[in-house]
Amino acid sequence: LDNEYFKHIEFFARNMYSNSDMFYSGSKVWPSALMQYETSMRDPFFYQLYNKFLSYYWQFKSYLPLYTFEELSFKGLEIKNVVFDKLMTYFEYFDADISNVIPSGFTGEKFWDYSIFARQKRINHKPFTYTMDVYSEFAGKGVVRMYMGPKFYDVKQLQYLKKYFVEVDQYMYDFVVGKNSIVRNSRDYYWSVRDRTTYSELYKKVMTAYKGEDKFAMDMSEAHCGFPDRLLLPKGLPSGYEMTFYFIITPYYAPKVEQFSTFDYSYSCGVGSGSKYIDTLPFGFPFDREIDFSYFFTKNMYFKDVIVYHSDDMKLNTSY
């Protein structure tokens, strides 16, 4: 194939459906929400387009052999129980700092004359914790994966619904012989990030330190990108919205490249290099391949049905 002619399918599709210049010569570029990654999700067609892209991924995965019982199981380890706090979502008024859209400077003793904020309503959730009881016959490292997906009423539905289960956390744990009680808070999830420090806050910290009124922390590293923590849970209902969490614990398979050796979360984004990941298992394991229900449900797996509630009380920039 002539890659220069056909180009990347995503790039080509964005240009074509935006009615723009498909060869991107720069002379016939029309503004479109779909052409800009930052605004793509405003266009309803974005979701149809990416659903089509994902269908190619699932088609490829359908050609791969099924996972064997040995690949799915973890000999000598069993998840006994998982208990969640009450899951609650709510809307809040959030003041977004947009002060850097105007020229700024400081005069005399004042280094910040005023700030400009845009108030908007957005969804959030109360931080929650779960406790997982695991019985182990061995001492060593294991990797815990946590997925969130829709509730299902027949195990055979999982063959279709597995693609809607999203991995929300992944971490390594040192197991001991006997009972292990793992307590994990939603603020510690591997894939999610909190709100970043605003421009005004950072500017004030720098200028305050410059004037000798306070010390400036030399390392204020924050994740450059990630899934917003406040969007971790879907909007609940006052009467409760049913969801399912799925847990699987696997042996630790050390990656060929040491984790984070070539990846820095403070400025790296996207899939990144192999050193971003804890082990060598593929994306979406074990939901990334067809399921054989005759042996799929092993003792190192656990499905937990939960209910997400919603409160109509409005809050202003409240962090629990």
Side-chain angles (χ1 to χ4, degrees), residues 13-296:
R14 283 176 178 271
N15 280 273
M16 182 177 68
Y17 290 114
S18 297
N19 195 27
S20 183
D21 178 11
M22 67 179 65
F23 294 101
Y24 206 69
S25 63
S27 60
K28 298 179 181 179
V29 178
W30 295 88
S32 166
L34 190 62
M35 285 189 65
Q36 302 296 325
Y37 289 91
E38 298 85 354
T39 58
S40 292
M41 289 187 289
R42 299 178 187 176
D43 191 333
F45 181 69
F46 167 84
Y47 301 94
Q48 300 178 49
L49 182 62
Y50 272 69
N51 185 58
K52 184 63 176 179
F53 292 158
L54 288 173
S55 70
Y56 301 140
Y57 166 82
W58 289 111
Q59 182 179 3
F60 164 73
K61 285 291 187 175
S62 68
Y63 299 139
L64 300 180
L66 278 62
Y67 288 118
T68 64
F69 175 80
E70 289 71 23
E71 291 174 316
L72 294 172
S73 61
F74 193 162
K75 186 177 180 180
L77 186 142
E78 181 179 2
I79 302 177
K80 292 291 188 179
N81 190 35
V82 178
V83 178
F84 274 85
D85 291 342
K86 185 176 182 179
L87 305 179
M88 178 71 70
T89 63
Y90 60 91
F91 281 107
E92 65 178 356
Y93 286 118
F94 183 79
D95 293 338
D97 185 354
I98 59 172
S99 302
N100 58 337
V101 302
I102 60 172
S104 60
F106 64 93
T107 57
E109 296 297 320
K110 297 183 65 177
F111 56 81
W112 195 260
D113 296 320
Y114 50 84
S115 297
I116 299 178
F117 295 91
R119 177 167 292 183
Q120 60 181 349
K121 187 170 68 172
R122 68 180 194 177
I123 196 169
N124 207 334
H125 67 86
K126 292 183 179 180
F128 59 90
T129 300
Y130 70 81
T131 302
M132 179 165 56
D133 294 329
V134 180
Y135 178 79
S136 177
E137 296 179 355
F138 90 108
K141 296 179 179 179
V143 177
V144 182
R145 283 174 167 81
M146 175 184 178
Y147 291 80
M148 180 177 63
K151 179 178 173 59
F152 56 92
Y153 299 91
D154 188 314
V155 293
K156 297 296 179 65
Q157 291 179 309
L158 193 59
Q159 193 72 269
Y160 171 75
L161 295 177
K162 66 180 187 294
K163 64 182 179 181
Y164 298 114
F165 274 78
V166 179
E167 184 175 329
V168 294
D169 193 21
Q170 181 182 140
Y171 57 95
M172 188 160 57
Y173 190 85
D174 287 319
F175 292 94
V176 298
V177 176
K179 182 179 179 180
N180 297 260
S181 292
I182 303 174
V183 180
R184 185 81 166 172
N185 188 272
S186 59
R187 297 300 194 202
D188 301 324
Y189 286 2
Y190 183 70
W191 300 112
S192 59
V193 296
R194 303 288 298 277
D195 289 337
R196 302 190 68 181
T197 303
T198 66
Y199 176 82
S200 296
E201 291 173 330
L202 182 60
Y203 184 84
K204 289 179 181 179
K205 288 179 183 292
V206 171
M207 297 308 299
T208 302
Y210 177 76
K211 297 178 66 174
E213 298 175 0
D214 197 4
K215 293 183 178 180
F216 183 79
M218 296 304 296
D219 187 358
M220 296 179 61
S221 300
E222 296 177 343
H224 187 58
C225 61
F227 191 81
D229 171 79
R230 62 184 182 83
L231 299 179
L232 182 62
L233 292 179
K235 178 179 175 293
L237 296 172
S239 58
Y241 181 72
E242 295 180 317
M243 297 287 294
T244 299
F245 282 102
Y246 167 78
F247 297 87
I248 181 171
I249 303 176
T250 56
Y252 172 61
Y253 301 105
K256 295 180 180 179
V257 180
E258 183 181 356
Q259 189 180 21
F260 301 132
S261 59
T262 60
F263 180 87
D264 191 323
Y265 76 97
S266 63
Y267 61 81
S268 301
C269 268
V271 175
S273 68
S275 68
K276 179 180 180 179
Y277 306 102
I278 295 176
D279 59 14
T280 58
L281 291 178
F283 283 125
F285 176 88
F287 291 138
D288 62 321
R289 300 189 188 182
E290 296 295 307
I291 297 175
D292 187 334
F293 291 101
S294 64
Y295 59 79
F296 179 77

